[in-house]
Amino acid sequence: MIDVNTFLLMFIYILCSILLITLIVLVVKLINTINRLNGIIDEVSVKVAKFEKAFRIVDILTDNMALLSDKLVDGMSCFIRKIFYRKEKRKEEENNE
């Protein structure tokens, strides 16, 4: 007859074998999933790089437009300041005479 110790030892071996087989299957599935995710991440990286180039072009364009508008506003304000400065200077000269 089989005693209890031998039976429990066989039962533990069977459970460990089942656990080992289950872990191997799960690891293989996990490896396949990670490989698919790496492919997806690579595709997303390529598409983001394309968008980054487009955003860089838009950024350069907006910077140049802002520079142009700043120069235009500065030029107009200098022109207006000169007009009013001349009028104030003429009034001071007339008051001095």
Side-chain angles (χ1 to χ4, degrees):
M1 286 211 134
I2 301 175
D3 68 346
V4 176
N5 287 337
T6 309
F7 175 73
L8 287 176
L9 192 60
M10 285 176 34
F11 185 70
I12 289 174
Y13 285 149
I14 290 171
L15 287 177
C16 286
S17 299
I18 292 171
L19 180 64
L20 181 65
I21 290 170
T22 306
L23 287 175
I24 289 172
V25 168
L26 287 175
V27 167
V28 168
K29 286 186 177 185
L30 183 64
I31 289 172
N32 288 335
T33 304
I34 289 174
N35 285 338
R36 279 188 266 141
L37 285 175
N38 282 337
I40 291 170
I41 290 172
D42 289 340
E43 290 176 14
V44 168
S45 296
V46 168
K47 290 181 181 179
V48 166
K50 290 179 183 178
F51 280 127
E52 186 178 326
K53 290 178 184 176
F55 288 141
R56 190 177 307 137
I57 290 171
V58 170
D59 187 40
I60 290 171
L61 183 65
T62 56
D63 287 345
N64 288 337
M65 293 295 287
L67 181 66
L68 179 67
S69 66
D70 288 343
K71 290 198 181 253
L72 183 65
V73 167
D74 188 41
M76 292 176 81
S77 65
C78 284
F79 178 72
I80 292 172
R81 192 177 314 136
K82 285 181 182 178
I83 291 173
F84 286 117
Y85 181 71
R86 287 182 186 166
K87 286 183 180 179
E88 289 176 5
K89 193 173 182 181
R90 287 180 192 162
K91 286 182 182 178
E92 286 178 8
E93 289 176 1
E94 289 174 2
N95 289 338
N96 289 337
E97 294 179 358

